[in-house]
Amino acid sequence: MTRIRREVLTLPAAQLGPDNPLPPLHPLDEVHRIDARDRDGMPTDMARQLGYEPLTSLLPVRVRDGYGRNREPRALDALVIENDRLRATVLPGLGGRIASLVHLPTGRELLYRNPVFQPANFALNGAWYSGGIEWNIGATGHTALSCAPLHAARVPAPDGGEMLRLWEWERLRDLPFQVDLWLPEGSDFLYVGVRIRNPHERPVPTYWWSNIAVPEEVRVLAPAEEAWQFGYERRLRRVPVPSYDGVDRTHPLNSPYAADYFYEMPDGRRRWIAAVDADGHGLAQTSTDTLRGRKLFVWGHRPGGRRWQQWLTEPGTGGYCEIQAGLARTQLEHVRLDAESEMSWLEAYGPLDAPGAGEWAQVVQGAEDRLEAALPRARVEQAYTAWQPYADTEPGETLATGSGWGALEVLRADWKLPGTPFPESTLGEAQAPWRELLRTGSLPEPRRVRPPGETLVAPHWRDMLETAPATPHTEYHLGVAQWHAGDRAQAVRSWERALQLAPSLWPLLRCLAVADQASGHHERAAERYADAFDDLCRERRDDGESWTAAQAALGREAVPALLRVRRTADARAVWDRLLPAVRERGRFRLLEAELLLAEGRADAARAVFDAGFEVADLREGEEALGRLWSRLTDEPLPARHDFRMRPDRP
């Protein structure tokens, strides 16, 4: 039966660094959006779910952009789940990801196991890393919990053994969820029970995709003859499977550019997907029918895709693709979760030996027959039925601790959530002022001068802020909550009222600058950014982590705002006051090249590129490097700066 033990996994790892202290007021930077014309001819439920409350803001979550690319050996806490057939290694402090799944009789690693921990800007809120099996909840994209700690504990399993339970409060949609993992005795398949609960008195849009990284030199099999293909040109089109345009796209390296293939699974057909190598060995994932979608993601064989593959790991490491399973046909959709309800399902992961070469229909049927022999569909349904009563079982020994945000919500609403406790003991410094607001009706003033803490923006917290004493600190947070609610005029009024008495002006000026940008007043936005940066430099108490993060974040926004209105001297003044260590970061070297070009010093801007730099937080789909390079020269973009994920526009 399942054995669970602690382990330390030592990897070359980059530090995550501090979160960005500025509230994310700008619209969500999400590349997975489509042209409206692509909705014509879609199935009705798909079209409806594509338009169902897509996420537009990251609030209340903060952006995680403090990481770099210097890797040193680092010990990561791991939890190992093992029987005599499989060994799964889970990282509870990094999103609960399954970093490794080894088939013990053969010694085969079934996943793509990244030999390093290197954050990159792919999660909704920034930091994400590649490899293993990740649990994506919240909204289209990689979860904001990608690099966050989850709660973990031992729980009795349906077969009398143990389960590893992971759980947390997903803040973008305000929903608690859990992931239960166990290995029945003698099983070649890891069972995963997932539950998402909506304790609110209103329906909530929800989202789930399990992303499984596997080596890319495979053929991906799924019971489908069509797929919805999404590329970074932001087009969604129906294509035949396995081949279109004369190319078999089920081999990941056959696609030139990064792309998603969402398989159109026939109603009534078993839900599964597999990746098998040239020898017919690989991994299969299957589930109960609630998890209806299946997908293949490829990086492609063009230089940009190969550069991303290198960027996410270390030289000499093989590439990967992802096979995925989700609640809807595509990741561009959100599913309605009714008030005071829940949804759950069971997944299974294990080895599959099946030939991948040959005619598509025969290969798929052969693989499905092998899967049925190894793990009958009926057994998956039985395991799900057996697990359901155990989903409410209270955890035993605590193995890891997540955030205190769930505890704060449970304290506020007195919700009963059997199986996923959020005890008050997990409340920390971030939750302290909000607990005080809940207890006294007043948001406490900070005890020392420092960058503002996080803002809670859900309607119930906004209501409390509106009735609290109108101190400058409260008005600041109220404005952020109002901005999130779409009441921008009221947000501006709250921030302007706070300016009159606030001891710290720069957080308010920055918020007002963002509001000016949103309304097209770029001259006024630039002026406010300049004033905000001046105020921050006067107020900064030290060169510690929090103040450095604040100055870097504000400077990164202020310089482009000033350049936009051709205030190059003021932009230079901001740049010169950044700490030297900040100016050396790749993102700021890119910013320096833009500044030099604006000053008419094209040769100096080109020299920045020639000297070399790495933008650690380069965003998925971002083309800033290529655009700036094309303004400097007609030469081809150097390979080290080529992260293009789509064909060049005509």
Side-chain angles (χ1 to χ4, degrees):
M1 295 183 184
T2 303
R3 298 179 294 277
I4 302 172
R5 58 183 168 84
R6 298 178 188 270
E7 192 172 273
V8 173
L9 187 63
T10 301
L11 295 177
Q15 292 290 339
L16 277 170
D19 289 352
N20 188 319
L22 305 182
L25 303 178
H26 297 283
L28 180 65
D29 178 19
E30 174 48 49
V31 299
H32 298 91
R33 303 191 187 281
I34 65 167
D35 193 309
R37 59 186 162 167
D38 289 339
R39 296 174 188 256
D40 295 340
M42 282 183 184
T44 303
D45 62 330
M46 181 177 170
R48 182 179 65 250
Q49 290 177 168
L50 278 167
Y52 180 43
E53 295 192 32
L55 195 69
T56 57
S57 169
L58 275 178
L59 287 165
V61 172
R62 282 189 161 177
V63 174
R64 310 203 73 173
D65 60 2
Y67 53 88
R69 292 191 56 80
N70 294 323
R71 296 191 289 266
E72 297 179 351
R74 178 180 161 201
L76 303 177
D77 290 334
L79 298 170
V80 175
I81 316 168
E82 191 171 27
N83 65 3
D84 58 346
R85 308 291 296 175
L86 282 178
R87 181 175 63 241
T89 303
V90 180
L91 302 178
L94 293 168
R97 186 169 307 197
I98 299 178
S100 169
L101 185 63
V102 176
H103 185 234
L104 296 174
T106 61
R108 291 204 310 265
E109 172 63 67
L110 301 180
L111 304 174
Y112 166 76
R113 181 173 183 168
N114 197 334
V116 306
F117 172 69
Q118 177 56 64
N121 193 358
F122 278 75
L124 285 164
N125 63 331
W128 167 89
Y129 61 107
S130 66
I133 304 172
E134 57 177 302
W135 318 113
N136 288 296
I137 182 173
T140 298
H142 293 280
T143 177
L145 295 167
S146 290
C147 291
L150 303 190
H151 301 280
R154 298 179 193 268
V155 184
D159 60 357
E162 290 184 316
M163 292 192 294
L164 172 62
R165 176 163 297 162
L166 306 166
W167 74 99
E168 203 17 300
W169 196 279
E170 201 289 309
R171 301 176 66 203
L172 292 175
R173 299 299 197 184
D174 242 356
L175 299 175
F177 72 98
Q178 72 190 76
V179 179
D180 289 352
L181 305 99
W182 78 102
L183 286 160
E185 185 175 3
S187 174
D188 277 324
F189 282 79
L190 172 69
Y191 288 176
V192 181
V194 182
R195 177 167 64 169
I196 306 172
R197 290 193 273 203
N198 176 14
H200 303 284
E201 296 178 347
R202 66 183 189 281
V204 176
T206 192
Y207 169 97
W208 183 279
W209 281 80
S210 301
N211 289 13
I212 308 124
V214 293
E216 66 183 347
E217 294 182 353
V218 293
R219 192 180 195 192
V220 173
L221 310 176
E225 295 181 356
E226 290 185 315
W228 295 92
Q229 191 250 17
F230 176 81
Y232 286 78
E233 309 94 317
R234 299 194 176 183
R235 298 300 309 275
L236 186 68
R237 57 178 69 88
R238 195 193 295 254
V239 299
V241 174
S243 300
Y244 81 95
D245 288 346
V247 177
D248 186 338
R249 309 290 172 144
T250 62
H251 294 275
L253 285 170
N254 283 354
S255 291
Y257 292 96
D260 301 324
Y261 296 90
F262 300 103
Y263 294 116
E264 187 68 63
M265 310 286 280
D267 290 339
R269 191 80 178 260
R270 183 175 186 174
R271 305 294 178 185
W272 65 275
I273 190 168
V276 296
D277 63 20
D279 296 325
H281 303 311
L283 169 84
Q285 187 274 357
T286 187
S287 70
T288 50
D289 289 353
T290 296
L291 206 64
R292 65 166 298 173
R294 294 298 186 275
K295 170 192 157 182
L296 164 65
F297 167 75
V298 300
W299 283 106
H301 61 71
R302 298 283 295 174
R306 307 329 296 165
R307 182 69 179 110
W308 273 117
Q309 293 268 29
Q310 299 164 6
W311 185 253
L312 297 173
T313 182
E314 63 182 3
T317 303
Y320 76 96
C321 63
E322 286 182 356
I323 56 175
Q324 306 181 13
L327 285 175
R329 279 184 178 85
T330 74
Q331 288 175 323
L332 289 74
E333 301 168 66
H334 297 95
V335 176
R336 176 187 170 107
L337 183 54
D338 288 331
E340 299 177 332
S341 70
E342 63 181 50
M343 61 173 58
S344 62
W345 61 90
L346 186 94
E347 305 181 45
Y349 297 82
L352 180 70
D353 291 326
E359 193 272 328
W360 177 249
Q362 293 177 356
V363 169
V364 169
Q365 188 60 58
E368 189 164 328
D369 292 344
R370 296 284 186 95
L371 177 60
E372 183 66 19
L375 182 66
R377 185 178 187 181
R379 190 183 302 168
V380 175
E381 296 290 344
Q382 291 162 4
Y384 173 60
T385 300
W387 165 72
Q388 285 182 293
Y390 288 80
D392 282 348
T393 302
E394 290 304 312
E397 178 192 0
T398 297
L399 299 172
T401 303
S403 78
W405 295 112
L408 184 67
E409 293 300 328
V410 168
L411 187 65
R412 179 193 64 81
D414 194 30
W415 278 317
K416 308 302 180 189
L417 300 168
T420 54
F422 294 97
E424 287 190 46
S425 60
T426 60
L427 292 168
E429 184 180 1
Q431 293 83 39
W434 301 96
R435 185 183 190 183
E436 186 70 10
L437 174 63
L438 186 62
R439 189 178 67 85
T440 68
S442 177
L443 193 69
E445 290 294 305
R447 295 180 180 177
R448 57 189 174 89
V449 177
R450 58 180 176 179
E454 297 179 62
T455 302
L456 297 184
V457 297
H460 41 268
W461 292 107
R462 188 174 72 248
D463 290 345
M464 281 185 260
L465 288 169
E466 287 176 344
T467 58
T471 65
H473 186 59
T474 300
E475 294 277 24
Y476 162 80
H477 286 292
L478 175 58
V480 174
Q482 290 166 331
W483 183 268
H484 176 264
D487 194 348
R488 296 189 168 185
Q490 275 294 95
V492 168
R493 282 192 283 272
S494 295
W495 293 325
E496 288 177 340
R497 283 195 303 269
L499 269 180
Q500 300 170 25
L501 296 173
S504 182
L505 302 181
W506 66 267
L508 296 158
L509 289 168
R510 182 265 175 176
C511 289
L512 289 167
V514 174
D516 286 334
Q517 287 179 322
S519 58
H521 295 103
H522 295 289
E523 288 281 358
R524 192 167 65 198
E527 184 67 27
R528 280 177 161 153
Y529 266 123
D531 291 345
F533 196 80
D534 289 344
D535 187 67
L536 171 58
C537 290
R538 284 193 297 268
E539 186 176 282
R540 194 181 80 215
R541 295 296 189 263
D542 54 49
D543 292 343
E545 185 177 81
S546 62
W547 283 108
T548 299
Q551 192 203 44
L554 188 59
R556 178 175 166 176
E557 292 186 11
V559 170
L562 289 161
L563 290 179
R564 178 165 188 159
V565 296
R566 297 182 173 82
R567 290 176 57 171
T568 53
D570 292 328
R572 171 60 65 181
V574 170
W575 169 263
D576 287 343
R577 282 178 290 173
L578 293 170
L579 294 175
V582 171
R583 293 200 299 264
E584 288 304 310
R585 297 178 192 171
R587 174 63 65 179
F588 290 86
R589 294 285 286 160
L590 176 61
L591 197 57
E592 180 187 24
E594 294 178 14
L595 175 58
L596 288 165
L597 184 59
E599 292 172 331
R601 301 163 63 188
D603 289 345
R606 170 64 186 265
V608 172
F609 274 88
D610 293 341
F613 60 90
E614 293 184 323
V615 181
D617 64 333
L618 193 70
R619 183 68 175 161
E620 174 187 12
E622 185 176 346
E623 298 178 347
L625 284 166
R627 284 199 302 268
L628 183 57
W629 177 262
S630 67
R631 293 171 61 196
L632 294 172
T633 177
D634 292 330
E635 297 173 23
L637 183 65
R640 67 178 180 273
H641 293 309
D642 188 353
F643 293 89
R644 288 173 289 190
M645 300 180 75
R646 61 184 178 87
D648 291 334
R649 292 190 180 95

